[in-house]
Structures are given as structure tokens and as C-alpha cells.
Amino acid sequence: MLRTLVYLVAAGVAGWGCALLQVPAGWLIGSLIVGICYRLGIGNLRLPTLVFPFALALIGANIGLSMKMSMFAEVAAYFFPLMVSLVAVLFASWLFSLILAKFSSLDGKTALFCCVPGGASVMLALSEEYGADQRIVAAFQSARVILIVLAIPLFAGLTAHLTGAGGTAHSVAHETAKAAGGGSTLLLFLAVIGVIVLSLTLAKWIKIPAAPFLYAMLLAFLINQFLVPIGALPNTIVGIGQVLLGACIGLRFDRAALKQLKSIGWLSTSILLLFLVLTFFVSCVFFLLTPLDFVTSLLSMAPGGAPQMSSSAAVLNLDASIVAAIQLVRLLIIFLLIPAVIPYVMKKYGAAQQS
């Protein structure tokens, strides 16, 4: 028990330090590194079985509290371009997974979950449901997030500077803090705990892929919008969920997984670079189909996380609210679509492998 507590504290400190240093997805990456180092350097450690679903529920509740009805109205005019872009992303991701599975030692399931840019938390949860290798999925998803979050804001800043793009900044962080400040901290805490407990209970009764995450997101959204406006979670609380997630996944990364990643070599780098190319492509499509400028379109379409992309938009004096809204709607569609589509894709993939 003491060793588990020390390990979780170390993971939390590492995540907090990376976040403080503004490392992309710092809470998740820091704890993931601690977990990997512990497993490779010290040995295995079995965490309580409730830790992983609790982390998923906490992250899901945070996203649910961030969603607002006005968000859907705000992006209604961009629904068709958004769907076109999503179809292009999902189709390209599927092609990338076929390439990865064919020219590496990875199985089709693991390759697919490595390549779908639907959020690291959800892909890790779904990969466990379908028996994919979470260690490899975690490595790929983390690398993709780091690459996108480092490259896209930098390119967006340079482009905005050269083209003079930008307008009146609309800080999502400011609005979130304002909303959170208007409610009771105790009410927020009790509501989130209630959502987590209820979502974990529902996950036992009605089993679906990534159930704790999806149930918590839906319950938090409904409570916040239609029952009691409780605001948004502080960044530190959200970070705790990411730390727990990274701590669980990091312990699954053993020497066999490291050897397998090394064997993939140049192919993994090529797939990651293809994601950058894909990001620019779908951003151009979205830009051509909407009245938004290219930099805003780029930040809205980049699969690097709504908080990272919207905060980058705010720094560049762009409309961060529209970036956050499109990012959240895009992720919401993927969250709901992937569990329905993946069984069909897996069936087709298995049939193609056997023929």
C-alpha cells in the first residue's frame, strides 16, 4: 500500500512539473514517463482495479462540464464542413492503420487504435475493451499529441504573424474561471463525485466500450445544463485524472513493448508525420468550406486537444470560443461514433486478413 501511494505521489509530482513547464499534455506525459521508468527500472506494481475507471470518469466529467448548449448552436453553421473533415480524418486514419499493420509486427486492432485521433484517454479505454496492446497504443497516442501540440501552435503563430490574422481574443479559460467562480466549490465537488459514482455504477450494469468516460461525460453535461449550473473543474483536478490514467498505462509498458516499438522504427515516424500532413489537409478543406480564416481553421481541426488549441487561439487574439466549440463537437462525434464503427471495422479487417 505504501509503495502504491509513493508511486502515485511521484507520478503526480512529475505530471505537475511537466504542466508547470508547459509540456504538451504535461500531466499525462509526466505520469506516463514515471510509470514507464518504474516498470522498466524497478519492476511491476499492481494498482487497485478502480483507479483506471475512476480516472476515465473524472476526465469524462470534466469534458461534460465544459460542454454548453450554445456550443452546438455556434457550430451548427459549420456542421457539413465538420462532417466532411471528420470523414477524411477517420478514413485516412484507417488507411494509416492498414499500413502500420502490414509493414510492422503489430496486430490490426493495436494498429487501428494507434492511428485513430480520438483523444488518448478514449483510445486507451477502447483499446482495452477490444484486446489491443495498450502499451503500444499509449506510446503512439502520446507521441501524436506531443507532435501536434508542439508543431501546430508554432505554425499557427508564424502564419498569423505573416498574414496579420487575429481579432478580439475570447479567452475560454477566462469564461471557464468566471463560470466556476459563480458556483459553490462544495457543490461542484459533490456533483462531480456523484457523477463519477453513478457513471461507475452504470458501467457495471450497462457495459459499453469506455463506459465510465461516456457515462460521466453525458451525466455531467445534463446536470450542468438542465439541473444545477455547477461550472467547470479546476485544472489541477483535471490533472489528477490524467495523472491516474498515465500512472496506470505506464506500468503496462514493459521491455517487450519497448522492443516492439524499436522494431517498428522508421514506420512509426512516417505515420506520425503523415498525421501532420493530414492535419493541414483537413484544415484547408475546412477553411475553403467556411468563412473562418486559415489559422482558426487549423487550430479547430488539429487533433491536439481542445484546451491546447483554444488557448493557442486566445494567445493569437483569435476567436478561442469557436475553436473550443468545434474541437469539443468534433471529439464528441468521434466519442459517440467510434464505439459503433470499430466492431464493424474489426470484422471487415479480420475477414480481409483471412482471405
Side-chain angles (χ1 to χ4, degrees):
M1 184 64 184
L2 179 60
R3 187 171 62 158
T4 299
L5 182 61
V6 171
Y7 169 73
L8 291 176
V9 170
V13 171
W16 173 77
C18 288
L20 197 63
L21 295 173
Q22 299 183 344
V23 174
W27 291 99
L28 178 63
I29 300 301
S31 60
L32 189 63
I33 291 174
V34 169
I36 293 172
C37 292
Y38 187 98
R39 180 63 188 271
L40 294 178
I42 299 177
N44 193 16
L45 176 66
R46 187 177 297 275
L47 296 177
T49 55
L50 192 62
V51 173
F52 188 72
F54 178 86
L56 290 178
L58 180 55
I59 295 171
N62 171 63
I63 294 178
L65 292 175
S66 302
M67 295 163 55
K68 302 185 184 306
M69 290 299 298
S70 59
M71 175 184 74
F72 298 99
E74 193 170 10
V75 299
Y78 308 127
F79 181 77
F80 176 73
L82 182 58
M83 291 307 298
V84 171
S85 302
L86 275 177
V87 170
V89 167
L90 293 177
F91 181 74
S93 300
W94 178 64
L95 289 180
F96 295 165
S97 73
L98 292 180
I99 295 172
L100 188 59
K102 183 175 182 179
F103 296 101
S104 74
S105 58
L106 298 183
D107 61 275
K109 293 180 180 181
T110 301
L112 181 62
F113 285 110
C114 285
C115 294
V116 176
S121 304
V122 180
M123 290 305 104
L124 290 172
L126 287 173
S127 66
E128 183 179 45
E129 294 282 346
Y130 288 98
D133 192 334
Q134 276 193 311
R135 304 163 302 176
I136 306 299
V137 175
F140 260 83
Q141 289 287 344
S142 298
R144 178 185 58 79
V145 169
I146 292 173
L147 179 64
I148 294 296
V149 176
L150 285 176
I152 296 303
L154 177 61
F155 181 85
L158 293 174
T159 304
H161 177 73
L162 293 174
T163 61
T168 303
H170 185 93
S171 173
V172 172
H174 174 73
E175 293 296 331
T176 300
K178 184 178 178 181
S184 167
T185 303
L186 179 60
L187 176 63
L188 175 62
F189 175 78
L190 293 176
V192 170
I193 293 297
V195 165
I196 292 175
V197 171
L198 186 54
S199 64
L200 293 178
T201 304
L202 286 174
K204 289 184 177 180
W205 291 346
I206 309 174
K207 296 183 179 181
I208 60 174
F213 178 88
L214 294 174
Y215 289 148
M217 182 175 65
L218 180 61
L219 289 171
F221 169 70
L222 293 175
I223 291 173
N224 194 40
Q225 290 299 305
F226 301 108
L227 294 180
V228 182
I230 55 179
L233 289 173
N235 290 334
T236 304
I237 301 299
V238 180
I240 291 174
Q242 294 179 331
V243 163
L244 293 176
L245 182 67
C248 291
I249 301 302
L251 288 176
R252 300 172 185 177
F253 193 90
D254 54 16
R255 295 185 183 278
L258 180 61
K259 184 178 180 180
Q260 195 169 18
L261 271 181
K262 286 182 178 179
S263 68
I264 299 172
W266 62 269
L267 184 59
S268 59
T269 304
S270 300
I271 294 294
L272 291 173
L273 292 177
L274 282 174
F275 270 111
L276 271 181
V277 175
L278 176 63
T279 299
F280 285 108
F281 172 75
V282 295
S283 299
C284 288
V285 172
F286 195 76
F287 165 66
L288 293 174
L289 295 177
T290 66
L292 298 176
D293 61 84
F294 178 72
V295 178
T296 302
S297 300
L298 178 64
L299 293 173
S300 299
M301 289 292 103
Q308 291 89 340
M309 297 301 109
S310 59
S311 61
S312 298
V315 170
L316 296 173
N317 291 324
L318 299 169
D319 192 346
S321 63
I322 193 66
V323 172
I326 293 174
Q327 283 279 355
L328 287 172
V329 170
R330 180 183 66 83
L331 288 175
L332 178 61
I333 293 173
I334 291 178
F335 294 162
L336 298 176
L337 187 63
I338 289 298
V341 171
I342 280 183
Y344 175 78
V345 174
M346 287 298 176
K347 184 178 179 180
K348 289 293 183 182
Y349 185 88
Q353 289 290 95
Q354 293 176 0
S355 61

